[in-house]
Amino acid sequence: MKRTAFFISDGTGITAESLGRSLLAQFSGVEITMLTKPYIDTIEKARALADIIDATASRDGQRPIIIDTIVDQSIRDVIRQAQGFKVDVFSTFLEPLEQELETHSSYSVGRTHAIGSDDVYMDRIHSVHFALDNDDGARTHQYDQADVILVGVSRCGKTPTSLYLALQFGIRAANYPLTEDDLDEDGSLKLPRVLAPHRHKLFGLTIDARRLSAIRNERRPNSRYSSIDQCVQEVEQAAALYRSMNIPFIDTTRFSIEEISTRMIAETGLARRFSPR
């Protein structure tokens, strides 16, 4: 079965898309084309989009799914006339909340993803800069300012996880790559000297060796760096280091960056500087 879903908003569309993708992910047997339509903030834009939705319904032979977070009632009325199955987020949830809270919603566009507090915005900027400045062991003198230091072999997901933690939660995350330079005389990994004073901040990432080899092959095909033997050796050595040093770690193989980050926060109790946007 093939269907089309429209995520529509008079703001960024992030909320509608996030909710829509979460809901539709539960229906694995349906092939769904997902389209995000942000800033539908005039009657003219709404009418043009309604025509697209109607044309999609005729083409597919099925009415599209419409998930919207439109605040303006007149724009919402235009979209409501289109040939689609509608999930109106605001009318579904705000009206019952108004009754429970005994007050009216502001019905303001873009409140969720606006800059909001200057302090929160600057926390986000500083955290992102920190993640970039302290990426891949490039600098280590700021580790005393880090909330967490991610360690792991090359290409296991340290950098994107660090940036996600910064953007979504304001967590100052540094990351350090475990390499052959960190090998002990017996061939096992040792804790790098620069990390020893910050051992309580360390969190390890590991990954399936076959998956790691595939990722590295995209960067350096047919090299020792990407060979399965090399990847197996590095992954096993890293896991042994985590266990011997009691460093908490997570296998990133089947988890998204969002899942890695939230699982890590849950396990370590890291304090968020703000809630995700």
Side-chain angles (χ1 to χ4, degrees):
M1 185 186 301
K2 295 184 179 181
R3 300 291 291 268
T4 301
F6 288 87
F7 308 135
I8 307 171
S9 175
D10 39 13
T12 63
I14 295 172
T15 301
E17 180 176 353
S18 298
L19 176 61
R21 288 185 179 276
S22 296
L23 292 172
L24 295 175
Q26 304 302 315
F27 302 93
S28 57
V30 184
E31 182 180 335
I32 303 176
T33 300
M34 303 182 191
L35 304 172
T36 303
K37 300 293 182 180
Y39 300 113
I40 305 300
D41 51 8
T42 66
I43 296 294
E44 291 72 21
K45 290 180 181 178
R47 286 173 178 160
L49 180 55
D51 290 341
I52 293 173
I53 294 171
D54 290 343
T56 301
S58 298
R59 183 198 67 203
D60 292 351
Q62 298 273 4
R63 56 181 180 169
I65 297 159
I66 300 172
I67 297 176
D68 81 80
T69 54
I70 294 173
V71 172
D72 189 292
Q73 184 63 52
S74 59
I75 295 174
R76 199 186 309 166
D77 288 341
V78 173
I79 298 298
R80 186 175 288 134
Q81 295 170 17
Q83 300 176 45
F85 173 79
K86 300 165 191 68
V87 179
D88 187 332
V89 175
F90 280 166
S91 66
T92 300
F93 296 108
L94 283 184
E95 291 175 10
L97 280 171
E98 285 178 332
Q99 295 175 16
E100 178 64 24
L101 298 174
E102 297 181 349
T103 186
H104 290 292
S105 163
S106 65
Y107 287 89
S108 301
V109 177
R111 288 292 294 272
T112 304
H113 300 284
I115 288 177
S117 163
D118 287 344
D119 290 341
V120 169
Y121 181 73
M122 292 310 299
D123 267 335
R124 175 178 278 113
I125 296 301
H126 290 324
S127 296
V128 171
H129 284 169
F130 185 89
L132 293 172
D133 287 344
N134 294 275
D135 180 47
D136 219 22
R139 299 181 184 179
T140 59
H141 66 278
Q142 294 180 317
Y143 280 5
D144 59 324
Q145 302 172 38
D147 298 317
V148 65
I149 303 170
L150 302 180
V151 294
V153 300
S154 172
R155 312 304 287 181
C156 69
K158 300 184 301 298
T159 296
T161 302
S162 298
L163 287 171
Y164 185 84
L165 289 168
L167 278 168
Q168 293 296 314
F169 306 110
I171 291 174
R172 288 168 171 73
N175 73 78
Y176 186 94
L178 298 173
T179 68
E180 290 184 324
D181 293 338
D182 300 314
L183 288 175
D184 216 335
E185 292 180 358
D186 63 358
S188 62
L189 278 175
K190 60 185 177 181
L191 190 65
R193 183 179 303 173
V194 71
L195 297 180
H198 312 288
R199 183 169 163 181
H200 63 291
K201 296 183 180 182
L202 302 183
F203 193 92
L205 301 184
T206 188
I207 188 172
D208 177 79
R210 291 181 296 276
R211 174 64 178 151
L212 179 62
S213 177
I215 293 171
R216 289 182 173 184
N217 259 303
E218 294 178 3
R219 188 178 187 185
R220 298 183 195 169
N222 303 317
S223 64
R224 177 174 175 270
Y225 168 77
S226 61
S227 69
I228 188 63
D229 289 343
Q230 179 68 18
C231 291
V232 167
Q233 178 181 335
E234 290 186 31
V235 168
E236 289 180 349
Q237 289 172 334
L241 174 67
Y242 301 152
R243 294 188 182 98
S244 66
M245 296 290 176
N246 292 317
I247 298 171
F249 66 96
I250 188 172
D251 188 333
T252 67
T253 307
R254 293 177 178 82
F255 290 142
S256 65
I257 297 302
E258 294 87 346
E259 290 174 306
I260 295 167
S261 301
T262 51
R263 283 174 181 269
M264 189 190 73
I265 290 171
E267 185 168 336
T268 61
L270 274 172
R272 310 177 183 192
R273 286 188 172 81
F274 48 78
S275 298
R277 306 301 295 242

